[in-house]
């Protein structure tokens, strides 16, 4: 009986200690509320003022927009939620806004924080809106192979169990206009900053002010090189290579074509790495032809000097320099070597004029075999 009472006392003591420890642990637990979790998320918004065309988007414009926007990288101007509920009206407000925007991030999670790099991984153009998926979008891509197992091992290994991207829907009034990629980027400026410089833009910043102004105005000047034209107008829609007047012996040229009817069309002709002719064909106007240097002396200087090939001097005359030699000072050259080739020492006489010593060469294999005793 005494032993039973002792065990009961120990059991009651351990239960009391456990309850105290649970109360202490419960007192240390704290919960982060929505206000605390989203206190540092900024929801300030300023609408854009981008001039948009009235003509509806064509199939050609659709292809160009997808080609120029997919895989583009930028930086988040605000925190982006893992959700498809963010809508932005062209030159208008964003929805949701304020407290509702913070609540969405608190409930769905954050896809990108302020200043994080984002990539346009998918682009869909609908009649009145453009849907852009960032960093893979808000929905995890379903793979049917993940449901198939062989010997209790899944066929497709998935390293991601939830989506981590976001989606922004850009809505237009009535229809999507014939809009370009830079204009879409300008409309998304309150949300994403696409101001990352390309190599062409970084190259343009190193040019003189006059050329920088021409490139900023998307003008091509006679005398520009390929990189300058790419910085001013981007990649051309078409290219062609030909020879002037069909002359087979004439120099070849390359022509870059920008625009299509009824837009203004520009023909930029290169000879080598320089623009030689710029033709501008605007609707209802005569063709403008620019064929004089317009670089304001940027390319002035000594003309390019052609490197002479062979044994001729740059002026076409024969070289009079002595041929290369391996002779030591005072050493006689081999007889009969007057063809301008490399001069070797005479193999019959040494440097003192005497007969050269015969070279000690090992006997051939056949001779060695013949001398062996049988």
């Amino acid at each position: 009986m005494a032993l039973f009472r002792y065990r009961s006392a120990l059991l009651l003591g351990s239960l009391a200690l456990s309850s105290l420890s649970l109360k202490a642990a419960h007192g240390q637990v704290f919960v982060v509320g929505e206000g605390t979790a989203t206190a540092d998320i900024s929801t300030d918004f300023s609408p854009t003022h981008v001039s948009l065309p009235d003509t509806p988007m064509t199939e050609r414009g659709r292809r160009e927009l997808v080609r120029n926007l997919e895989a583009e990288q930028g930086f988040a101007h605000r925190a982006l939620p893992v959700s498809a509920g963010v809508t932005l009206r062209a030159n208008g407000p964003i929805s949701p806004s304020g407290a509702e925007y913070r609540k969405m991030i608190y409930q769905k999670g954050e896809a990108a924080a302020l200043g994080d790099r984002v990539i346009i991984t998918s682009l869909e153009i609908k009649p009145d809106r453009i849907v852009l998926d960032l960093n893979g979008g808000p929905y995890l891509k379903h793979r049917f192979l993940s449901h198939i197992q062989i010997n209790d091992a899944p066929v497709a290994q998935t390293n991601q169990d939830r989506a981590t991207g976001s989606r922004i829907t850009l809505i237009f009034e009535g229809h999507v206009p014939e809009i370009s990629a830079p204009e879409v980027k300008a409309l998304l400026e309150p949300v994403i900053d696409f101001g990352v410089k390309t190599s062409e833009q970084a190259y343009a910043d190193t040019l003189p002010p006059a050329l920088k102004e021409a490139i900023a105005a998307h003008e091509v000047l006679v005398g520009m090189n390929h990189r300058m034209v790419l910085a001013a107008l981007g990649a051309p829609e078409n290219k062609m290579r030909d020879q002037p007047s069909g002359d087979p012996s004439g120099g070849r040229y390359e022509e870059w074509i920008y625009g299509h009817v009824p837009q203004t069309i520009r023909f930029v002709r290169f000879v080598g790495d320089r623009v030689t002719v710029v033709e501008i064909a605007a609707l209802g106007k005569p063709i403008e032809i620019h064929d004089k240097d317009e670089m304001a002396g940027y390319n002035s200087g000594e003309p390019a000097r052609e490197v002479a090939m062979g044994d001729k001097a740059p002026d076409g005359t024969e070289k009079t320099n002595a041929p290369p030699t391996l002779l030591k000072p005072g050493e006689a050259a081999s007889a009969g070597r007057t063809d301008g080739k490399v001069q070797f020492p005479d193999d019959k006489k040494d440097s003192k004029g005497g007969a050269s010593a015969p070279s000690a060469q090992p006997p051939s294999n056949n001779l060695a075999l013949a001398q062996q005793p049988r």
Side-chain angles (χ1 to χ4, degrees):
M1 180 62 69
L3 182 60
F4 176 78
R5 290 177 180 177
Y6 179 74
R7 290 180 176 177
S8 300
L10 288 177
L11 179 60
L12 291 174
S14 62
L15 290 175
L17 290 174
S18 299
S19 62
L20 289 175
S21 61
L22 288 175
K23 289 180 180 179
H26 181 72
Q28 294 176 357
V29 174
F30 62 93
V31 179
V32 177
E34 179 182 342
T36 305
T38 61
D40 58 344
I41 296 178
S42 175
T43 58
D44 296 337
F45 182 82
S46 298
T48 57
H49 302 280
V50 180
S51 179
L52 301 176
D54 297 329
T55 57
M57 175 165 285
T58 61
E59 183 62 29
R60 183 188 184 92
R62 182 188 301 268
R63 293 196 303 266
E64 290 292 323
L65 195 62
V66 172
R67 181 173 66 88
N68 293 325
L69 279 182
E70 279 194 350
E72 280 291 288
Q73 301 184 19
F75 296 92
H77 260 175
R78 57 164 51 200
L80 298 176
V82 184
S83 173
V86 180
T87 58
L88 175 64
R89 293 193 172 271
N91 297 323
I94 189 173
S95 177
S97 61
E100 291 296 326
Y101 192 85
R102 292 193 182 95
K103 183 177 181 180
M104 178 182 292
I105 294 179
Y106 178 73
Q107 293 177 346
K108 303 292 186 180
E110 189 177 63
L114 181 66
D116 286 353
R117 185 185 296 273
V118 294
I119 304 175
I120 299 179
T121 53
S122 177
L123 178 69
E124 184 179 3
I125 303 175
K126 297 185 177 181
D128 66 337
R129 63 194 60 194
I130 300 176
V131 182
L132 303 102
D133 279 358
L134 307 173
N135 295 348
Y139 302 113
L140 187 64
K141 300 298 184 291
H142 178 74
R143 300 185 64 183
F144 74 94
L145 290 178
S146 61
H147 300 282
I148 301 176
Q149 295 182 353
I150 299 177
N151 295 332
D152 296 332
V155 175
Q157 299 291 336
T158 57
N159 299 325
Q160 187 177 359
D161 57 353
R162 60 185 297 268
T164 57
S166 184
R167 175 175 292 179
I168 298 176
T169 304
L170 182 61
I171 302 177
F172 297 86
E173 292 292 337
H175 58 267
V176 177
E178 186 71 13
I179 192 171
S180 63
E183 291 171 331
V184 173
K185 293 179 182 179
L187 292 173
L188 295 173
E189 180 68 21
V191 183
I192 305 173
D193 179 15
F194 291 95
V196 183
K197 293 182 179 180
T198 62
S199 60
E200 287 79 13
Q201 292 171 337
Y203 170 71
D205 289 341
T206 64
L207 299 176
L211 292 181
K212 290 176 62 176
E213 293 176 2
I215 291 175
H218 305 292
E219 296 180 358
V220 177
L221 306 178
V222 176
M224 284 184 169
N225 56 27
H226 287 84
R227 296 189 66 184
M228 296 177 187
V229 176
L230 288 174
L233 298 179
E237 298 180 7
N238 294 294
K239 292 182 181 180
M240 59 174 293
R241 295 177 177 85
D242 204 347
Q243 292 173 329
S245 304
D247 184 6
S249 61
R252 300 185 65 86
Y253 67 85
E254 183 179 45
E255 201 160 59
W256 290 7
I257 303 174
Y258 294 89
H260 53 275
V261 178
Q263 301 175 354
T264 300
I265 304 178
R266 290 178 173 85
F267 301 89
V268 182
R269 178 173 297 186
F270 290 91
V271 174
D273 192 36
R274 298 294 175 184
V275 176
T276 57
V277 179
V278 178
E279 298 182 5
I280 303 175
L283 188 63
K285 297 181 180 180
I287 298 179
E288 299 181 21
I289 300 177
H290 302 263
D291 56 0
K292 304 297 182 182
D293 187 84
E294 301 172 327
M295 299 293 285
Y298 177 74
N299 289 329
S300 62
E302 296 183 1
R305 182 166 56 90
E306 183 179 357
V307 178
M309 302 298 293
D311 293 331
K312 291 187 177 181
D315 57 357
T317 60
E318 294 292 338
K319 288 184 178 181
T320 57
N321 297 337
T325 178
L326 298 178
L327 302 177
K328 297 179 180 179
E331 191 174 12
S334 300
R337 303 301 297 270
T338 59
D339 52 0
K341 297 183 180 180
V342 179
Q343 295 183 357
F344 296 94
D346 193 349
D347 55 355
K348 296 182 180 179
K349 295 183 178 181
D350 57 10
S351 58
K352 297 181 180 180
S356 59
S359 59
Q361 297 181 353
S364 62
N365 294 336
N366 295 335
L367 182 59
L369 291 174
Q371 293 176 352
Q372 292 181 357
R374 295 182 180 180

